[in-house]
Amino acid sequence: MSDAKTRDIFITGLKNAHAMENQALSIMKPQVKRIENYPDLAAKLEEHIRETEGQISRLDEILTSLAEENSSLKDAALSFTGSMAALGHTVAGDEILKNSMANFAFEHFEIAAYKSLITIAELGGFAAMVNPLQASLDEEIAMAAWLEDNRRPMTIKFANLKEAGMSAKI
């Protein structure tokens, strides 16, 4: 693979990751505003929103160091689809569970994206870019693990609230 082609793949991946992280924000921010009965989840989402904003900053720094910038069109398109996805679950009686499942799946998508970016960075000789990408990967892995560890307790709480006739969906 030529250096120019590897660089192009890397730049495209970085722009895609930037848009992906904007999509993540457009999914999480509406969710956290609606949470009523799950304070641990709300706190974790707020923490991950801050992490995601940091991930976007890291991606901006990497792109700038390569004399590139994010794709505003990709950012806008994925932010829109993220907002629509978050809105789609608001009508569900089990919104909290649907959001949790979707967030878990999205975290794994992000994990795969960062693993691929790190591989391309290594192949393309962009060693200086690996550490910031690894930091983002580590945050995504931690969030996915938290969601996995809390899926059962959240589901039980949802069922208990529903059984008690209380508002449980969010």
Side-chain angles (χ1 to χ4, degrees):
M1 191 176 308
S2 77
D3 290 342
K5 287 184 181 176
T6 304
R7 186 183 190 284
D8 289 346
I9 293 167
F10 188 53
I11 297 301
T12 298
L14 292 167
K15 290 178 180 185
N16 290 343
H18 194 280
M20 171 187 72
E21 294 301 356
N22 277 287
Q23 182 180 20
L25 288 177
S26 70
I27 292 168
M28 290 184 292
K29 286 181 176 182
Q31 287 179 11
V32 78
K33 287 179 186 175
R34 293 179 46 78
I35 293 175
E36 297 171 3
N37 295 307
Y38 307 87
D40 291 349
L41 176 60
K44 189 62 177 176
L45 283 174
E46 287 170 355
E47 176 187 329
H48 198 55
I49 286 168
R50 289 187 300 275
E51 288 174 343
T52 301
E53 290 166 344
Q55 293 164 4
I56 291 169
S57 293
R58 285 193 287 269
L59 290 164
D60 283 334
E61 289 171 14
I62 293 170
L63 284 165
T64 298
S65 76
L66 297 168
E68 297 284 344
E69 58 185 37
N70 63 294
S71 168
S72 298
L73 180 60
K74 283 182 184 181
D75 285 359
L78 289 184
S79 290
F80 176 75
T81 60
S83 295
M84 292 301 99
L87 182 62
H89 292 169
T90 62
V91 297
D94 60 349
E95 178 181 358
I96 196 72
L97 299 181
K98 283 189 173 39
N99 285 345
S100 181
M101 291 176 225
N103 291 346
F104 183 75
F106 198 83
E107 291 305 320
H108 284 275
F109 176 76
E110 291 174 304
I111 289 166
Y114 281 111
K115 285 182 176 184
S116 289
L117 273 173
I118 290 167
T119 300
I120 294 297
E122 292 166 345
L123 288 173
F126 303 105
M129 314 309 182
V130 171
N131 284 342
L133 294 170
Q134 184 65 51
S136 295
L137 173 60
D138 292 345
E139 291 166 351
E140 301 302 357
I141 290 170
M143 183 62 178
W146 189 93
L147 289 165
E148 176 66 22
D149 293 345
N150 286 275
R151 180 186 350 260
R152 181 175 171 79
M154 187 183 325
T155 303
I156 290 168
K157 183 172 185 174
F158 172 82
N160 288 340
L161 287 169
K162 274 294 217 197
E163 191 67 32
M166 300 174 70
S167 174
K169 69 181 247 170
I170 193 76

